[in-house]
Amino acid sequence: MNVRRWQVVVAAGLLALGACSSAEEEPPAPSPTPTPTPDPTTVEPTPEQTPEPTWPLTGMPADDAAEHPAVAVKVENTVMARPQTGLEYADIVWEEMVEGGITRFNAVYHSQQPEVVGPIRSLRPMDVGISLPLGGPQVISGGQQLFLGEARAAGLQLISDDAGHPGFFRESSRRAPHNLYGTLSQFLEQAEADAPPPEQFAFAEDVEDASAPSDGEPAGELRLSFPSTSPGWTWDEDSERWLRDEAGVASMSAAGEHLGTENVVIIRVQIVASAGRDQAGNAVPETVMTGGGAALVASAGHTVEATWRKDSIEEPLVIEDADGEEILLAPGTTWVELLPADRGGLTVNP
């Protein structure tokens, strides 16, 4: 084959290969249309619910809870002292046994401020465990030097008539010592503390969520017995409160109001002989305010069994159910009955 023919054959072969390759080659894939990325949606964080302010000692709503401290006032509870003045305004009232098996009150004021309170009487050793957790002053007529010294050593501020503090006056219509009264605003002005008290109990938001109506049994009457007095509490549907009586006689305030409360807390306590002596030379009884024991809580016409504990005199009382959960009280006021375990009685009636 001559050179020219060979060149022709080679050229023809190359053209054939090129044509075959072009026929088998796939068309180029179309370029994908870019999908626009959406702008990220800004998710606003859900604002946290700010709890409505409440009064620390009652759990009741407070439009503007005052920042002032609580004031505890020792109030007499004998026939000569009744009717008392200002008890109906107390956030918490503690009933404690004193000499002769009678009782006295330690009334705590914070959310309401009556003008006058009384009759005011002297300090007892258990008042330290009641008032110290509140952080405010204890108002008294006076007291034995032993008890006064113990209270001051524990850090409790005492406002005392015997010490010459202002705010006390005698009522001419009653005989001493049952006629000592005080002006609460003047006591508050002398308070060394400037902060409101911490909560002393746990409160439900609503009455129906309180522990007694939620988990307890219906009850219409509570009958208590101290050695020399027999207070009682009867549930009143109209006022939705427990109303107090003394041995069946309605307990009234000096203003004519039937004394009542939303919660009654009854705790069984040990009573011991203190180192103090009364005028007859007998040992002054002292309620042991630390430790623990059985309790009963009454709210909204129901009662629930519980236990109480108090690890130190500086700490508030803790009330728990059988599972160790803290008992919730109904919003409102509370009366605490320090009922002797060995010489006090309790009956719950339907």
Side-chain angles (χ1 to χ4, degrees), residues 133-159:
L134 296 164
Q138 172 73 66
V139 176
I140 55 175
S141 62
Q144 296 187 23
Q145 289 303 315
L146 170 65
F147 302 150
L148 298 175
E150 291 174 346
R152 294 190 184 102
L156 180 62
Q157 181 193 0
L158 300 176
I159 298 177

Side-chain angles (χ1 to χ4, degrees), residues 267-329:
I267 68 171
R268 289 288 196 166
V269 294
Q270 299 297 320
I271 306 293
V272 298
S274 73
R277 293 292 182 267
D278 63 17
Q279 293 179 346
N282 300 313
V284 174
E286 176 179 355
T287 300
V288 179
M289 291 300 297
T290 56
L296 187 79
V297 175
S299 307
H302 291 72
T303 61
V304 63
E305 293 185 357
T307 59
W308 70 275
R309 60 180 173 86
K310 195 175 190 299
D311 297 331
S312 70
I313 59 172
E314 297 91 354
E315 297 179 48
L317 193 73
V318 177
I319 310 169
E320 298 173 329
D321 62 18
D323 298 322
E325 297 293 329
E326 194 164 12
I327 291 288
L328 300 180
L329 302 186

Side-chain angles (χ1 to χ4, degrees), residues 239-251:
S239 63
E240 297 184 335
R241 307 185 85 206
W242 295 96
L243 300 181
R244 181 181 171 89
D245 67 78
E246 295 280 356
V249 179
S251 297

